[in-house]
Each structure stands twice: as structure tokens, then as C-alpha cells.
Amino acid sequence: MFTFELHTTCGNARAGVFHTPHGSIPTPIFAPVGTQATVKAVQPRELRELGASIILSNTYHLYMRPGDELIRDLGGLHKFMAWDGAILTDSGGFQVFSLGDFRKIDAEGVTFRSHLDGSTHRFTPEKSIQIQHNLGSDIMMCFDECPPPLNRDVVRAACDRTHAWARRCLDEHWRSGDPTKQALFGIVQGGIFPDLRAESVRTLRELDFPGYAVGGLAVGESKAQMLETLDQTMPLMPTDRPRYLMGVGSPEDLVNGVARGIDLFDCVLPTRVARNGAAMTRVGRINMRNLQYATEDAPVEEGCTCYACTHFSRAYVRHLVKANEILGHQLLTLHNLHLLLTLMREMRAAILDGTFTAYAAEFLANYRPTGKEANAPPVG
Amino acid sequence: MFTFELHTTCGNARAGVFHTPHGSIPTPIFAPVGTQATVKAVQPRELRELGASIILSNTYHLYMRPGDELIRDLGGLHKFMAWDGAILTDSGGFQVFSLGDFRKIDAEGVTFRSHLDGSTHRFTPEKSIQIQHNLGSDIMMCFDECPPPLNRDVVRAACDRTHAWARRCLDEHWRSGDPTKQALFGIVQGGIFPDLRAESVRTLRELDFPGYAVGGLAVGESKAQMLETLDQTMPLMPTDRPRYLMGVGSPEDLVNGVARGIDLFDCVLPTRVARNGAAMTRVGRINMRNLQYATEDAPVEEGCTCYACTHFSRAYVRHLVKANEILGHQLLTLHNLHLLLTLMREMRAAILDGTFTAYAAEFLANYRPTGKEANAPPVG
């Protein structure tokens, strides 16, 4: 269990398989996010149909509601949400650190107030691991501090805390968990500072985790800074363990991440933009509310083989979005997840074929990014 | 096309088949409602999986958004919403008459303001038929006036108008439509007054519609009054045409309606109560928010074979409802539609077997109705 087979590389891109108690995950792979024990607007049977092999769920949210002990008593998270593929849980750290005025950090842990009812709670590295034990995820994450990435002093302090807490997480997992049933991954911090990243990798490698995440990116730095950080950090990572880039999931970031040796991604982006009425495509994001789609009989994305694109027109999807119909959320979510999971499959095949470099170059040449890094307006 | 085969009767209950250009509909049958060209939270492939053979969609809503001419230009409503089963459209009458201060009735039609943007529109019998031609539904309904059912003078005036408009609808359909592709049903009005109902049936029978609806019920009268009206009216209806009870869809009403010779029902109830977090069951409606379900590993309804009940626990469904997750709407909608469509199949089988009377008696003995007619509190 939890062995990683690296099949081949193409440049820095890697194709492999990560074995878990809930199936073998072909890498590189994207994990759809099911924050509250459901990937929003998608049924588990549809996740299978989309080819998903791993999803992410959130420790903070499940601890709050319905409670990790309830989920344990009902047979664990896989049974609770009827998903028999692999599950990765985050540590809750990112959420509780995001609570701002509602949390207080000390050397031992974080005390915070619930976003639901204001009640007071406390997470420590040990508590985070205990919750993840109750959830029964295949991959658990260390309780870490994810700081804003640009302030060196803040980042250094967060690294020190993250490293100390990583040891405590590992100790707790060995003490009260079963490392043959659940794998604990370490999280590299260090912001945009190469020496801090290097030190973080070095420190965590000593703890010999079965997988390593790159945390603290896609949280405020520019895309160029993110890619530069990956360029500097990835060569230091062990080659025989899966590498996970947390919270990243735009099509161009997936391609750029795979090109730098990332094996695993997760992000709310495809499901969130779907509920905002936008479709991800191979040429950029499109807003389905736009008037130009009102009369278009073409599918959301030409050539796409997802359920939405093989059955419905842009005009229909736009109508659903404008009328605020749940089916609009469903269809766009299916499409966006289908695109990202298809991209991952295509990239894996290209790595195995030795054609990944050309694949990535062609994809990025055709793609118009959205948001502050984009120079071109979104398509549509 | 549009022939009705009556296979057998059991008491007043009837089992038959109604043939349409989009499939043969086994009767008695329930039509899920897809107001805005989508049965809320359900995909067309799931409607098929549930065994639905006909759905209802709303002329007023589709005229307003996205527009019936757009739907016509895109190939009609079946293609637009990717539903290749039968579709029944209402006339828009019920909606525009419900607009209260925003509508003005005259002998020729109704002038009203849009609920979306306040713009002024006018429906006449001819206009309603033209819109339904553009939508391309299999079964069209006459533009009628559905009055509050208890005031005799109001009901009498509405009957006269309904009958005059029924002739105009038929004329318009023969003038500009294709009666081999779309069937126009007449609507019997008359409130709770037996003589007015009898007169309405007599008048409409002279127009020789391929099917007849009982309108103006389930709109304010008591359940006892509704059933009494059916008892008096149904014996007067032609036996060789399908009979449609509009806007009725609680489990007990379906059983009581079939027992009185109704062949077709539609109602928003199963989909609406699902989105409110309630499940319909064979013993009554249950509110999934109730604390008692928080830890229950049992399915929403024991023995149910729907996707929700075969994969998820009450605890999980309650969690989804409490967390306001779309999947909660999806699962409860699938369950409620599965229950009603299963009840219809069971009733049809019991009629064919000659055991319907016992089936209905047993069902009603076990069922605890919800709402003002119920003496017992809802289960749970």
C-alpha cells in the first residue's frame, strides 16, 4: 500500500501510479473537491463515469458538520458519501488559519471560533490527525501553517512551526493510526523564497513521508512567482514519492505543474466556476450568461464527449444558468470536471509516449488564461 | 397517433396506453413537472432511469424565458431539453390568472405583466396554441380560466369563458397546427358544483377532444370536496379518451384519483418538497432535517430501490440538507419521483391483476397524509 511506481518521465513531467486501499491512482491526476462530503452537484456514480480516481474532502468542514465521530460511527467517509475511490483529506490548517480575527495561534495549536455557530474549538497537530483517522481518508495531510507567501519573516516562522508540527503529526499517526491503511503526507512551505523551500524539503525528507505536498502557493503570489518557485523546489523533491500541488486547478496551471513534475492536484475551481455559470474549455473560460450563446445550437465545447456537451446546446445551458436552474450547475460541473480529468489523461498518455513537451506547448499556445495574469480578454 | 387503448378496468380504475409521437404512455401515469424546460435537479437520462414516460412543461414560463420562438428555431422543446419522451404543455392560463393585480381579463384574452421584468404581454386562446405549436409538445392544453372553486357565480362565468375559448383553441389548432403531431386536450371546469361540471363535460364532449382534463381542483377546496367532485364528474367523461387530473400529486391523491378513473396526473409536489428537504414515503412525508435522522444508517425509505436509497443513509441525506448541498436536492428529488412513478406502476399492475381495490385500501390504511387534511402528525 501507498507505494508509488514511476513509470516514465518526459522532461520533468512524470507518469506513474500511486497505490491506495481504495484503488490505484494513475498520475498525474486531478482530485475534484468535495468539501462537505460531496463534490457539489455531482453524484458519486458520475465521478466514476468522469474517470475520477481520487477526491479531496475538508477536515475542518466535516469536523464542524456533521462531525468526524459521527462519520466514523457510520463506517467512515467512503461509506458515508458512497465513494469507493481514494479520498485525500486536508488537515484543516488552511481553513482555521483563514478565520482571521476568529482564531488565535500558539506553539501548540490554533484556537478558533466556528463559522457556523461561533462556538470555540481547538485544533492541534494531534487533533487534526485524530479527526482524519475518524474520517478514514486514504491520504492525510500534516497540520501546517500556510502563510501569505511574500513576507520572509512570516514565512520563516511558519516553516519552523510547520516542521515542528509535521513531526507531531507523524508521531500521532504512528501512535494512534494505522499507516498501512492511511498515508500521511508532508507539506513543504517556504513561500517564494528558494532557500526556505530548500530547507523545508530537506527537513521533511528526513521524516520520510510517503508523499510530499507543495503548500503555500496559489495564495497571493503571481503565477510567474508560483512557477519559479516550482522550478526551484521540484528538483529537490524525492523522485520516488508522489508530489502534490495543493489548491491548484486551472487548465494552464495543471499543464505547467505537470511540466514541472507535479503528480497530484486539487482545486475547487472547476466546480465553483460551474456554479457561477462559467465553462472551462481548452481555449479559456467562457461565461455562459453571455448573450452570444443565447441562440447557439453548438455544445458548450465542440468535440467534448461529456454528458453535457453530447446532449445539450449552449443556448440550453445559457437558459438554465439565466433561469438559475440546478441542472445548469450540474451540467457545467460535469463539463468542467470532464475537461480537467481528460487533460490529465491526455498528459499522462503524452508522457508515456514521450510527446509531452509538444503537447504542453500546443495546449498553452491555444489557451487564453482568465484573471489578472491574462492579457487577452476571456473567450466570449 | 393519440389513440387511447383501455386495457382493463378494476372498479373505476383504468389501465391503458396512450400513444404519442414520443412513445406510448402506460396509464395510469404521473408526469414530473419541468417548468423551465428542466425537471428541477434531474437529468433527462435519470428521468428515463426512473421510468418516466411523460413530463409537463409550462407555456407561460417558456414563452417568457427563453422564448417559444427560440425553442422552435432550435428544433422544439424535446430537442432543446434533450428529452425524447412525451411532453405535455399547459396553456399558460393558470399562471397568467395567478398574476393578480398584474393581469386584466377580457372576453378575448388576458393582458398581463411579466414576473421577470414587468413588461406587458397578452395571451389569447390563439396565442397560447401558437406558443404550444412552437414548443412542439405532444399534448397541448386549451387556454382556460381556472377560478377559485367555491363561488358559484365566479365558477359559472369561468366555465362559459373556458368553453368559448376551448372552441377557439381547437379552431386555431386545426388552422395552424398539425393534429397528427400534437394533440389538444379540453379542460373541464365547474368548481365543486356537480351541475356545472356536468354541463362543462357535455359542452366539451361535443368538441371531441382526444383527451380531457379535470381542471380547477386542488386549488383551494378541501380534499373531501375534490374527491366528491371526481365521484360526480368522472362517470360523465368519455371512456375512450385519457383523463387528466391537473396539478395533483401527493401519494394519497394519486391513489384516490386512480380509484376514480384518472389516467394522468402532474404536480410539482415531489420535486418541490425535495428541495425543501422532505422525502415522500409510503407512510407519509418525512422532514429530513429532523434530528432523529442525524445518526441513522438506514436509507431514506426502507426497501426503496432508487439510487438515493440504495447508496446513502438518512444521516448522509440529512447532512446534505442541513449543509444546503445541491446533492441533497438531487437525491431527494430522485427518491420522490421514484416513489410516485413506482406507485403508478404498482397501481397499473394491480388494475391488470384485478387487485387494485385491495391495493388502494392497504396503501391508504398505511399512509398518514400531511397538511390541513391530516389528523396525525407527519411521520418523524
Side-chain angles (χ1 to χ4, degrees), chain A residues 6-321:
Chain A
L6 180 59
H7 290 332
T8 190
T9 58
C10 182
N12 292 320
R14 300 147 44 98
V17 173
F18 186 60
H19 299 283
T20 82
H22 290 88
S24 295
I25 303 165
T27 61
I29 191 74
F30 175 79
V33 174
T35 297
Q36 300 192 109
T38 160
V39 176
K40 289 184 194 297
V42 185
Q43 301 165 12
R45 58 180 173 179
E46 293 173 326
L47 288 172
R48 278 292 179 203
E49 180 184 282
L50 291 166
S53 53
I54 178 169
I55 64 165
L56 177 143
S57 201
N58 289 100
T59 286
Y60 167 82
H61 290 89
L62 296 179
Y63 161 82
M64 284 294 173
R65 182 171 61 190
D68 52 293
E69 292 176 358
L70 173 65
I71 290 175
R72 177 200 61 203
D73 293 346
L74 290 168
L77 185 54
H78 293 85
K79 178 164 181 289
F80 186 61
M81 66 184 293
W83 169 247
D84 60 2
I87 299 177
L88 183 153
T89 44
D90 68 358
S91 70
F94 185 77
Q95 276 76 25
V96 300
F97 277 96
S98 303
L99 290 172
D101 290 346
F102 294 99
R103 55 107 174 112
K104 221 172 119 180
I105 308 166
D106 57 62
E108 294 301 305
V110 185
T111 303
F112 59 95
R113 302 245 300 270
S114 161
H115 75 292
L116 293 176
D117 63 7
S119 55
T120 300
H121 301 263
R122 183 168 170 80
F123 275 6
T124 60
E126 292 77 15
K127 178 69 180 173
S128 169
I129 296 301
Q130 289 156 12
I131 297 170
Q132 294 183 74
H133 285 162
N134 285 339
L135 297 175
S137 50
D138 300 278
I139 301 174
M140 305 158 52
M141 299 305 298
C142 282
F143 191 66
D144 67 331
E145 178 174 352
C146 172
L150 307 181
N151 181 318
R152 186 178 174 90
D153 290 342
V154 171
V155 170
R156 171 174 281 286
C159 278
D160 291 344
R161 183 170 280 145
T162 292
H163 300 156
W165 286 359
R167 282 188 188 85
R168 286 170 52 187
C169 286
L170 208 52
D171 287 347
E172 180 62 25
H173 185 39
W174 284 92
R175 189 189 70 76
S176 67
D178 181 347
T180 68
K181 291 194 175 153
Q182 296 183 271
L184 176 63
F185 280 21
I187 304 176
V188 172
Q189 290 289 352
I192 58 162
F193 307 101
D195 59 325
L196 297 185
R197 286 278 172 191
E199 186 189 319
S200 189
V201 173
R202 204 161 44 238
T203 306
L204 293 174
R205 283 188 74 158
E206 283 168 17
L207 299 179
D208 195 26
F209 288 101
Y212 291 87
V214 181
L217 290 179
V219 291
E221 80 289 0
S222 71
K223 290 230 171 172
Q225 287 172 316
M226 179 177 92
L227 296 180
E228 210 176 318
T229 302
L230 287 179
D231 283 333
Q232 292 153 349
T233 307
M234 296 309 290
L236 311 176
M237 305 275 273
T239 56
D240 61 344
R241 310 290 158 91
R243 304 152 165 189
Y244 163 32
L245 181 55
M246 304 179 81
V248 164
S250 70
E252 73 274 29
D253 286 350
L254 296 181
V255 174
N256 283 319
V258 168
R260 284 158 180 81
I262 297 292
D263 304 304
L264 169 60
F265 303 82
D266 83 281
C267 195
V268 296
L269 201 67
T271 47
R272 181 171 290 166
V273 304
R275 295 196 310 286
N276 287 333
M280 291 172 154
T281 81
R282 287 167 189 269
V283 295
R285 204 181 302 173
I286 62 179
N287 181 349
M288 292 310 301
R289 291 174 193 274
N290 285 355
L291 185 60
Q292 71 179 97
Y293 304 127
T295 59
E296 281 193 24
D297 198 29
V300 167
E301 182 166 22
E302 288 283 6
C304 176
T305 60
C306 83
Y307 175 67
C309 288
T310 52
H311 289 79
F312 305 95
S313 64
R314 289 178 169 186
Y316 182 66
V317 173
R318 177 180 188 270
H319 163 65
L320 295 177
V321 170

Side-chain angles (χ1 to χ4, degrees), chain B residues 119-371:
Chain B
S119 56
T120 300
H121 301 263
R122 184 167 169 79
F123 275 6
T124 61
E126 292 77 15
K127 179 69 180 174
S128 170
I129 296 301
Q130 289 156 13
I131 297 170
Q132 295 183 73
H133 285 161
N134 285 338
L135 297 175
S137 51
D138 300 279
I139 301 174
M140 305 158 52
M141 299 306 297
C142 283
F143 191 66
D144 68 330
E145 179 175 350
C146 173
L150 307 182
N151 180 319
R152 185 178 175 90
D153 291 341
V154 170
V155 170
R156 170 173 282 286
C159 278
D160 291 345
R161 183 171 279 144
T162 292
H163 300 156
W165 287 0
R167 284 188 186 86
R168 286 170 53 186
C169 286
L170 207 53
D171 287 347
E172 180 62 25
H173 186 39
W174 283 92
R175 188 189 71 75
S176 67
D178 181 347
T180 68
K181 291 194 176 153
Q182 295 183 273
L184 177 64
F185 279 21
I187 304 176
V188 172
Q189 290 289 353
I192 58 162
F193 306 101
D195 58 326
L196 297 184
R197 286 279 171 190
E199 186 190 318
S200 188
V201 173
R202 202 161 45 238
T203 306
L204 293 174
R205 284 189 72 159
E206 285 169 15
L207 299 179
D208 196 26
F209 287 101
Y212 291 86
V214 181
L217 290 179
V219 291
E221 81 287 0
S222 72
K223 291 230 171 172
Q225 287 173 316
M226 179 177 93
L227 296 180
E228 210 177 318
T229 302
L230 287 179
D231 284 333
Q232 292 152 348
T233 307
M234 296 309 291
L236 311 175
M237 304 275 273
T239 56
D240 62 345
R241 309 291 158 92
R243 304 151 166 189
Y244 164 32
L245 181 54
M246 305 179 80
V248 164
S250 70
E252 72 275 29
D253 286 350
L254 296 181
V255 174
N256 282 319
V258 168
R260 284 157 179 83
I262 297 292
D263 305 304
L264 170 60
F265 304 81
D266 83 281
C267 195
V268 297
L269 200 69
T271 47
R272 181 171 292 166
V273 305
R275 297 195 310 286
N276 287 333
M280 290 172 154
T281 81
R282 287 168 189 269
V283 296
R285 205 182 301 173
I286 61 178
N287 181 348
M288 293 309 301
R289 292 173 193 274
N290 285 356
L291 185 60
Q292 72 180 95
Y293 304 126
T295 58
E296 281 194 24
D297 198 29
V300 168
E301 183 167 19
E302 288 283 7
C304 176
T305 60
C306 82
Y307 174 67
C309 288
T310 51
H311 289 79
F312 305 94
S313 64
R314 289 177 168 186
Y316 182 66
V317 173
R318 177 180 189 269
H319 164 65
L320 295 177
V321 170
K322 295 281 290 181
N324 201 26
E325 282 284 355
I326 289 174
L327 186 59
H329 301 324
Q330 294 177 255
L331 295 181
L332 285 172
T333 302
L334 288 177
H335 171 77
N336 289 350
L337 289 178
H338 180 268
L339 176 67
L340 296 199
L341 289 164
T342 301
L343 286 182
M344 300 312 294
R345 282 189 288 269
E346 289 177 358
M347 285 195 278
R348 189 171 192 274
I351 296 166
L352 291 171
D353 285 352
T355 57
F356 175 77
T357 309
Y359 175 93
E362 190 187 339
F363 182 88
L364 294 173
N366 291 329
Y367 191 86
R368 284 199 275 174
T370 312

